Amino acid sequence: QVQLGESGGGSVQAGGSLRLSCAVSGDNYKNYCMGWFRQAPGKEREEVATVDSAGRTRYAESAKGRFTISQDNAKSTLYLQIDSLKAEDSGTYYCAASSYPRCPWIGYSLVQNLFGYWGQGTQVTVSS
């Protein structure tokens, strides 16, 4: 079992920055793929970025350039830095874990149903 808990969301103005955190605990998570996802109101949940067990990162096409995924050395906290925030970045951000050590991307999409562990989400609201 893996437990995930996000924090760091809030209300910010467009152009600002946020760093989201996800506390990770449990069994074997250091060998897991970790990812950030987001869901805007009325839209499907979408992938943002992942980091695999070897530390390799990958970003959704829409996230390249302004989003940075990282972990602390102990892999007990997952981060998502978001810069130059836009109104369309508003939504609920989730961290998730997949027991696959290499993140399950197929083409430009993540296989979300291979992520068996999810946090409760943290809300980001960007005002223009």
Side-chain angles (χ1 to χ4, degrees):
Q1 292 290 325
V2 175
Q3 293 80 43
L4 304 167
E6 303 93 336
S7 61
S11 297
V12 295
Q13 289 199 331
S17 297
L18 274 178
R19 189 174 80 159
L20 307 182
S21 299
C22 175
V24 187
S25 62
D27 301 325
N28 298 320
Y29 66 88
K30 294 183 181 182
N31 298 319
Y32 286 10
C33 163
M34 303 298 298
W36 283 100
F37 298 79
R38 66 181 180 181
Q39 188 168 20
K43 294 189 176 181
E44 292 187 353
R45 188 173 59 200
E46 63 177 357
E47 60 275 342
V48 176
T50 60
V51 56
D52 70 12
S53 59
R56 291 177 290 246
T57 60
R58 182 168 173 179
Y59 297 87
E61 291 299 302
S62 61
K64 289 182 178 178
R66 297 189 298 114
F67 293 73
T68 305
I69 188 171
S70 62
Q71 293 172 297
D72 66 357
N73 288 339
K75 295 189 177 181
S76 60
T77 307
L78 183 71
Y79 300 103
L80 184 69
Q81 175 75 31
I82 315 173
D83 297 318
S84 302
L85 278 155
K86 303 177 181 180
E88 52 263 40
D89 293 324
S90 296
T92 303
Y93 284 71
Y94 300 91
C95 64
S98 170
S99 59
Y100 288 79
R102 298 195 67 170
C103 296
W105 289 89
I106 295 180
Y108 292 107
S109 299
L110 268 175
V111 183
Q112 295 192 26
N113 61 13
L114 292 182
F115 284 79
Y117 305 97
W118 293 82
Q120 80 285 356
T122 187
Q123 182 69 36
V124 172
T125 303
V126 184
S127 56
S128 56

